[in-house]
Amino acid sequence: MRSTRWKAASRAAIALAGAGALAAGMALFVTAPASAGTTLGASAAEKGRYFGTAVAGFKLSDSAYTTILNREFNSVTAENEMKMNATEPQQNQFSYGAADQIVNHARSRGMSVRGHTLAWHSQQPGWMESMSGSALRQAMLNHVTQVATHFRGRVVAWDVVNEAFADGSSGGRRDSNLQRTGNDWIEAAFRAARAADPGAKLCYNDYNTDNWTHAKTQGVYNMVRDFKARGVPIDCVGFQSHFNNDSPYVSNYRTTLSSFAALGVDVQITELDIQGASANTYRSVVEDCLAVARCNGITVWGIRDSDSWRASQTPLLFNNNGSKKPAYDAVLAALNNGTTPTDPPTDPPTDPPTDPPTDPPTTPPPGRGGSTATVSTNQWPGGFVATVRVTAGPPALGCSPVSTPPPTGPSATKPWSHTLARTALPAT
Ligand code: 9MR
C-alpha cells in the first residue's frame, strides 16, 4: 500500500480512516511520533486521535480566541449552532448560516467537524416543543434528514441523539415529547441519519454515563448492545464527561470506555470539562482514552475558562487571558506519552465485539535500508480505519518537512483529517 512512496519516512504512522464504501471517503494522519507534538491537536494526531473544542460562532471575530483555536485544535463542535432551534427555527425553514460559518472556519484550516446534535429533548424550536405523536415523529425525522443532508461530507461524526436517558436509578429513558412518540424514536433517528449521510459516523451522546456502575451508564450500554445486535446503524458513543463535585471523575471510567468499545463502537469524549481543572484528573482522562484503541478523540467544551458554560468552575485548559493552565501541560504530556491506536484496550472486554475483528497487521520483510511497513484495518458496517505504520531505515535515506498532503488515491474523495509531519523521498 504505497509502501515504496513512503518507505523512507522517518518512523511515520499513517492512519487512513474512511466511512461508507471506499468511494465515500478517506482521511489521513501522517505523523512523526519520534518528535513530541507541541500542540494538543498535533500530539493527538500522532496517536491517531483528534483533540477538539466546542466553538461559539460569535467568538470567531475574537482574535485571541481564534489564535488558540487555530493553533491547538484539529476538531470542532458547534456549541449551539447545529441544534434543532438554530437550524430549523420555523418548521421546514432551515437556517444554516451560523453553523456553516463554523464548519467553513474549521475545514479551511484542516480541522474536522463533529455535528451536535440532530435530535434532543432540549433546545427544540418552539413549534416542535408543542408537537406530539406522529406529527412530531415525522417532523423529527424530516429534521434529521434535512440537516444531515445539508452537512453531508462535511461532518465526520454526528451526535444523532443527545441525552435521551434518565438520571437516577431507573436506567431507563428520559420522558420527553420525543420519547412519547414511541420507544423506537432513537433508532428511527439513526436510520434516517444513515440514509441522509452514509459517510458520517453516527453517535449516541449523553452525560453522567462515565461511572460504569451507574444505572444510566448501564441503560445506555444495553441500548447500544441491542442496536448492534439488531443492526441499527450506530457507530459511536459520546461521553460528555462534565466532571464536577457532584459528578466526579471515577477510576472505572476506563472500564466504561473499553466496555462500550467492546460492543463494536468507537467511543469519544465529547464535552470534557473538569471543575477546578485538576491537572491530575485531566491527565487521567487522556490516559484512559489513549488506553482504549477505539477511543478516537477528545473534545473540551470550550477554550478559555471564560468561554465555559460553567465559567465559575474554571474547568478548562486556558485561563481567561488565554494562558495555558497546568491542566494543559498535563494533557499535552499525556498525549505525547500515550500509546498508539492499534494497541489493544488495557481492560478485557466485557462482551465480544459484534463487529468483525481488527485484521492482524501484515508485516512485510524489511525493505531497503531496513525500512518496514505494516498495515492494519479496523472495520465497522459502512466504514473502516486503515493504519499504515512505516519505520524508516538509517537516516541516510533522508526525510524532510513537507507542505503538501500525500496522495490519497482515486477513491479518497472526502478527507477526514490529516496532519502531515514528514514525507518520504522517492525510492531510488
Ligand atoms: O454550552 C451550551 C450552552 O451555551 C447552552 O446555553 C446550553 C443550552 O442547553 O447548552 C450547552 O451545551 C450543552 C450541550 O449542548 C449538551 N450537553 C450539555 C452542554 C452544557 O449544558
Side-chain angles (χ1 to χ4, degrees):
M1 191 168 177
R2 304 187 187 283
S3 58
T4 47
R5 182 176 287 273
W6 294 101
K7 82 164 95 172
S10 175
R11 301 184 62 78
I14 308 165
L16 307 176
L22 260 180
M26 275 193 180
L28 301 182
F29 299 100
V30 181
T31 62
S35 61
T38 56
T39 66
L40 302 172
S43 294
E46 288 183 354
K47 301 302 183 292
R49 272 80 167 191
Y50 63 81
F51 204 100
T53 183
V55 163
F58 70 91
K59 292 177 183 165
L60 291 176
S61 57
D62 173 351
S63 65
Y65 181 84
T66 54
T67 295
I68 304 173
L69 169 64
N70 298 346
R71 184 187 71 220
E72 295 288 344
F73 298 95
N74 59 4
S75 170
V76 155
T77 304
E79 187 171 1
N80 290 296
E81 292 78 355
M82 289 189 190
K83 292 173 180 174
M84 300 177 101
N85 58 357
T87 51
E88 195 178 358
Q90 305 298 328
Q91 188 166 14
N92 264 318
Q93 292 180 17
F94 292 86
S95 172
Y96 297 118
D100 281 340
Q101 185 194 10
I102 293 174
V103 170
N104 292 339
H105 182 100
R107 286 173 50 78
S108 66
R109 290 164 178 81
M111 307 171 187
S112 59
V113 178
R114 291 193 84 262
H116 175 82
T117 175
L118 293 172
W120 189 19
H121 69 274
S122 182
Q123 286 185 271
Q124 291 181 2
W127 61 266
M128 183 180 277
E129 284 178 323
S130 58
M131 288 181 87
S132 62
S134 59
L136 173 59
R137 172 68 69 93
Q138 284 311 312
M140 180 274 287
L141 293 175
N142 181 57
H143 180 88
V144 170
T145 299
Q146 295 296 326
V147 176
T149 298
H150 175 78
F151 291 105
R152 181 167 54 205
R154 298 187 291 153
V155 164
V156 296
W158 268 108
D159 292 334
V160 177
V161 170
N162 194 42
E163 300 178 2
F165 275 73
D167 295 311
S169 59
S170 76
R173 299 283 182 87
R174 169 197 299 278
D175 179 51
S176 72
N177 60 348
L178 291 170
Q179 180 62 30
R180 288 192 291 274
T181 69
N183 206 50
D184 63 344
W185 76 274
I186 297 180
E187 61 195 82
F190 274 82
R191 292 187 200 282
R194 180 69 98 219
D197 186 355
K201 289 193 178 188
L202 304 182
C203 306
Y204 176 78
N205 190 55
D206 215 328
Y207 67 91
N208 282 356
T209 49
D210 316 293
N211 188 324
W212 180 238
T213 68
H214 281 179
K216 186 174 180 180
T217 309
Q218 292 298 313
V220 175
Y221 177 85
N222 288 333
M223 179 189 73
V224 175
R225 182 167 57 181
D226 172 59
F227 279 11
K228 294 297 289 183
R230 291 191 295 112
V232 177
I234 185 169
D235 306 307
C236 39
V237 176
F239 297 83
Q240 293 184 12
S241 304
H242 295 292
F243 293 118
N244 54 65
N245 296 343
D246 296 325
S247 179
Y249 168 82
V250 283
S251 60
N252 67 29
Y253 184 58
R254 188 179 299 194
T255 300
T256 302
L257 298 177
S258 62
S259 297
F260 275 82
L263 292 175
V265 289
D266 288 343
V267 293
Q268 301 174 345
I269 299 170
T270 53
E271 303 182 17
L272 179 64
D273 49 26
I274 300 173
Q275 181 172 13
S278 156
N280 283 338
T281 307
Y282 264 106
R283 179 185 303 109
S284 296
V285 169
V286 173
E287 289 175 348
D288 289 343
C289 179
L290 294 179
V292 177
R294 294 194 75 154
C295 183
N296 59 352
I298 298 173
T299 298
V300 287
W301 205 242
I303 298 178
R304 303 160 301 193
D305 286 331
S306 50
D307 300 317
S308 171
W309 69 301
R310 287 174 165 166
S312 66
Q313 295 186 2
T314 59
L316 294 174
L317 301 178
F318 296 87
N319 66 21
N320 294 356
N321 67 21
S323 299
K324 297 170 182 173
K325 296 164 62 177
Y328 172 96
D329 298 325
V331 166
L332 188 67
L335 289 170
N336 286 332
N337 290 336
T339 54
T340 64
T342 50
D343 288 343
T346 51
D347 288 341
T350 53
D351 277 297
T354 53
D355 275 357
T358 300
D359 295 340
T362 54
T363 308
R368 186 173 59 87
S371 303
T372 61
T374 62
V375 181
S376 64
T377 61
N378 190 358
Q379 296 175 301
W380 61 90
F384 68 93
V385 172
T387 299
V388 181
R389 179 170 300 283
V390 182
T391 303
L397 284 172
C399 58
S400 58
V402 296
S403 57
T404 54
T408 53
S411 62
T413 58
K414 190 182 72 175
W416 178 343
S417 175
H418 67 265
T419 301
L420 191 58
R422 294 180 191 279
T423 191
L425 298 175
T428 54

